[in-house]
Amino acid sequence: MAGELAQQFFTMASLATLAGAAGATLVVTNVAKQAFGFSRSWFGLVVAEVICVGLAAYARQNGSDFVIAALNGCLVYLSAAGASDAVGGRQPGNGNNNAVQRGNNESAMRRGWRTFFGSWF
């Protein structure tokens, strides 16, 4: 039973995939926003880079592989940001939708709510 449960959580192997790294970035960044008020726009990039460069260091990669890891960190960041926008209900279109979404988030904050998912930008 304990072995089955452990397979449901993040592992080093799952973090080495785009979905795993983006999922971890999404969770850590949104929790930091919710708990500590960290800005998702910069903190998400830091989390993604730490995950990707950390995985390269864990795998004992060569120097040039760290450049690829940093590029992968950018891809992971944008994937996590897009997922948060999609789940948070941000509608694509002209710039007016961004103002509506921002207004909805500000309205929720005035009522004492913090939105877990939402735009990172």
Side-chain angles (χ1 to χ4, degrees):
M1 179 71 175
E4 293 173 15
L5 184 61
Q7 292 175 358
Q8 296 176 11
F9 298 110
F10 289 113
T11 64
M12 291 304 278
S14 70
L15 284 177
T17 66
L18 177 60
T25 300
L26 176 73
V27 169
V28 170
T29 302
N30 284 346
V31 166
K33 168 67 174 166
Q34 188 80 6
F36 306 113
F38 288 173
S39 170
R40 290 184 269 211
S41 61
W42 66 266
F43 189 68
L45 180 60
V46 170
V47 171
E49 291 296 341
V50 166
I51 289 172
C52 291
V53 172
L55 283 169
Y58 177 76
R60 293 189 169 96
Q61 298 294 320
N62 296 330
S64 62
D65 293 327
F66 286 98
V67 173
I68 300 299
L71 289 172
N72 284 338
C74 293
L75 177 63
V76 167
Y77 168 71
L78 290 175
S79 298
S84 188
D85 280 356
V87 174
R90 183 174 177 183
Q91 300 295 319
N94 62 20
N96 292 335
N97 286 334
N98 192 18
V100 170
Q101 180 67 27
R102 189 177 310 116
N104 289 341
N105 285 341
E106 289 171 0
S107 176
M109 292 296 283
R110 281 193 297 274
R111 290 184 296 234
W113 301 344
R114 285 189 179 176
T115 56
F116 188 75
F117 292 106
S119 178
W120 289 13
F121 306 108

